[in-house]
Amino acid sequence: MGLGSFIGSIFGGQKQVKFTEPVVEELNKNLFVINTLAFEAEVEHSELPVVVDCFTKTCPPCKKMGPIFEKLAGEYESKVKFIKIDLKGSPEIGKRFNILGVPTLLFFKDGNLEENVVGYTKEDKLREHLDNLLEQRSSNSPSEVKNMTNNESTKEDMHVWTSKYADKAGYMLNPDEESLHLVLEGLARNRNKHGKNYCPCRIVTGDDQEDKKIICPCIYHKDEISNDGSCHCDLFFKKKG
């Protein structure tokens, strides 16, 4: 499957399907999309080091990083296995590895998580992480990989605040608790890291004037809800009926 078909298949508008068995689809040379049930065999039991691109189909930075990920998959064939996993179809992975925003890259060696990188990653930076993965010896077990920032209290604050805003604006929060959890985690992370409630599905540029546009609720959310039924992050939804 070429990149055009690949983008169409995983970022298209198809309704999410729940699978009851492992799914492994080869998208291109050394590039595979899997579901939760295939994770153990394809990632944790892989003889090669593995990089996993955790994405959602509504995330623009995820789409932007797709061609880079595919290009390097070909270059690192027989050295590092490249995997993609849709967190909306496999939310268990997001919970297990405490993924706070998308895209997130998970780097595994000998079945152990060695590093995670959150946000859009440029080609040279991704190449650097891959080379480091190949050089280092595995030292961590999954139980030893810890999130160094405790976002729980901030996440609860985000839940209270977004609920109040939704009521006031005439919207509703995402009824899917797993998806809502991911967005609130991302908001909490950005609050703790940047001091502002930046949208977890958009890129923080460092330009204060530009970044003001993506402070939740961002300047785009009303049009997105009106046109698509939900905002870009799937946080706020148009009320039914």
Side-chain angles (χ1 to χ4, degrees):
M1 179 183 293
L3 180 59
S5 298
F6 161 53
I7 294 295
S9 65
I10 66 172
F11 290 117
Q14 294 98 331
K15 189 175 182 180
Q16 188 66 60
V17 177
K18 282 284 186 179
F19 293 98
T20 57
E21 59 184 26
V23 173
V24 180
E25 182 183 356
E26 185 171 6
L27 301 169
N28 217 321
K29 180 190 290 187
N30 193 35
L31 180 60
F32 306 86
V33 62
I34 68 171
N35 65 351
T36 301
L37 297 176
F39 193 88
E40 181 177 354
E42 296 298 319
V43 178
E44 296 175 305
H45 292 171
S46 173
E47 294 182 359
L48 292 176
V50 183
V51 56
V52 182
D53 176 13
C54 301
F55 72 95
T56 64
K57 66 181 181 180
T58 58
C59 164
C62 298
K63 296 180 184 180
K64 184 179 179 181
M65 200 167 70
I68 296 173
F69 199 72
E70 182 186 40
K71 176 184 177 183
L72 295 186
E75 291 185 17
Y76 281 79
E77 186 181 16
S78 301
K79 295 180 181 179
V80 179
K81 181 192 289 187
F82 281 63
I83 297 286
K84 295 187 75 73
I85 190 162
D86 184 350
L87 292 186
K88 287 193 176 180
S90 299
E92 303 86 355
I93 298 301
K95 285 187 174 182
R96 177 178 174 185
F97 295 103
N98 197 24
I99 294 175
L100 307 178
V102 287
T104 286
L105 298 176
L106 304 176
F107 295 85
F108 289 84
K109 193 168 188 178
D110 297 327
N112 300 320
L113 178 62
E114 298 293 336
E115 183 181 19
N116 69 323
V117 177
V118 182
Y120 172 77
T121 304
K122 294 182 178 180
E123 181 177 336
D124 58 340
K125 287 297 183 181
L126 178 51
R127 196 186 299 277
E128 183 179 321
H129 288 297
L130 292 167
D131 291 342
N132 288 340
L133 181 67
L134 290 171
E135 292 174 3
Q136 70 190 24
R137 297 180 61 186
S138 181
S139 58
N140 298 326
S141 67
S143 62
E144 292 172 332
V145 178
K146 298 179 180 179
N147 178 17
M148 301 305 294
T149 303
N150 182 359
N151 287 327
E152 286 304 313
S153 61
T154 307
K155 184 180 71 175
E156 292 305 316
D157 292 342
M158 291 298 103
H159 197 180
V160 171
W161 174 77
T162 53
S163 295
K164 289 182 178 178
Y165 175 78
D167 287 341
K168 181 179 179 180
Y171 303 137
M172 59 182 285
L173 294 183
N174 191 329
D176 185 318
E177 292 186 4
E178 292 171 333
S179 297
L180 179 61
H181 166 84
L182 285 175
V183 180
L184 294 177
E185 284 279 14
L187 279 171
R189 174 182 175 274
N190 281 342
R191 179 69 182 180
N192 289 337
K193 182 177 181 179
H194 301 289
K196 295 180 181 178
N197 302 341
Y198 289 127
C199 169
C201 302
R202 302 184 195 271
I203 298 174
V204 179
T205 67
D207 183 320
D208 288 343
Q209 292 302 313
E210 284 299 310
D211 291 341
K212 282 182 181 179
K213 300 176 182 178
I214 63 170
I215 294 175
C216 185
C218 70
I219 65 170
Y220 312 106
H221 78 289
K222 291 183 179 180
D223 286 340
E224 291 169 346
I225 295 170
S226 176
N227 295 331
D228 304 323
S230 65
C231 69
H232 168 68
C233 278
D234 283 349
L235 175 59
F236 301 114
F237 276 66
K238 185 184 297 183
K239 282 188 176 181
K240 297 179 180 179

